[in-house]
Amino acid sequence: MIMTNHSLKTLITSSIAAAIMVASGSALADYPERPITLIVPWAAGGGTDATARTIARALEEELGQNVNVVNRTGGSGVVGHTAILNAKPDGYTIGLATVEVNTMHWQGLTDLTYEDLTPIAQINYDSPGIQVATDGAFDSLDTLMEAIRTQPKGSLTASGTGQGGIWHLAFAGFLMDQGIPADQVIWVPSEGSAPAMTELASGGVDVVSTSIPEARSMIDAGRVKSFAVMASERLSAFPDIPTANELVGSDYQVGAWRGIVGPQGMDAEVVATLESALEAAYQSDTYQDFMTQRGFGTEWRNAEEFGQMMEEMDGILGEIVEQVGLAN
């Protein structure tokens, strides 16, 4: 058979393309071939860092590679989330994103949104509780809400995080759900839940909105009581704390989530490999026992469901940010 130059070029081109596809498929099939970096946008020692290190240990067992946690702090989460966004989308740099992805851009802190990230899996969700001092003026959620409704705007104060943080927005959203202006209660910024709880116990503020696990030590010490949790059902770690629905008929639920994400442009097969490994890691005793001991909420969503949740939460939190006057 006589082969023309055109036929020869076509054959060579097809052979090269086939070789590239085989090599590419082989590379994907071998993923991961080296250690993975897990970026955490928050400081070492905190709840997010501890959650990241625990899921990393469990993930190592599933992938057979080291998963190295790197803390990239600053800018109220902006620095770390931006580092995830700017990583090479090869699956070797991923991150533990937090609910701030749904709040930072509304406040003008960054242009980054959930759409700039590849969702892989949600592994945690913590609902806010409503805490007051044990020796304070309120003996029930009803009396607290009545005081908020009837006393002049700004008469009561609340805390639990910085201005515009998730617990601030969650509490403001709850007020809106109850037909109360989002800024009816003055928000006193704090460096976190621990100092806010101390301030609450000493009478410096009237209410603290934060997750129940973060209030646990003060509750156990008898200095603080939690009226309710904004969740669909009572938390298994805190069965004596009723839901807001039980007390005031509210289905409102806005809380803090954590999930594994990557930069845009990740290969679908790599995402699927990570998603599958993360589900096994999520179900492992290593992860579940840690979360139970800390009282943190465990909530699983696969990549598609996680992306849908982030989209929905983004709209809800954007409205709250606007109502409390922090939109930029």
Side-chain angles (χ1 to χ4, degrees), residues 38 40 42-57 69 71 96 123 258 286-287 290-291 294 296:
L38 178 64
V40 178
W42 304 99
T48 298
D49 177 69
T51 300
R53 293 179 187 278
T54 304
I55 199 67
R57 287 197 302 272
V69 174
N71 300 89
L96 183 69
I123 59 171
R258 298 180 177 111
T286 297
Y287 185 70
F290 167 80
M291 298 298 275
R294 289 291 190 98
F296 292 155

Side-chain angles (χ1 to χ4, degrees), residues 106-141:
W106 293 116
Q107 299 174 53
L109 300 177
T110 178
D111 292 331
L112 182 152
T113 76
Y114 71 94
E115 294 178 297
D116 296 313
L117 302 168
T118 296
I120 301 173
Q122 181 184 343
I123 59 171
N124 158 257
Y125 185 88
D126 285 314
S127 301
I130 300 174
Q131 284 73 232
V132 299
T134 302
D135 59 358
F138 310 108
D139 58 10
S140 69
L141 184 59

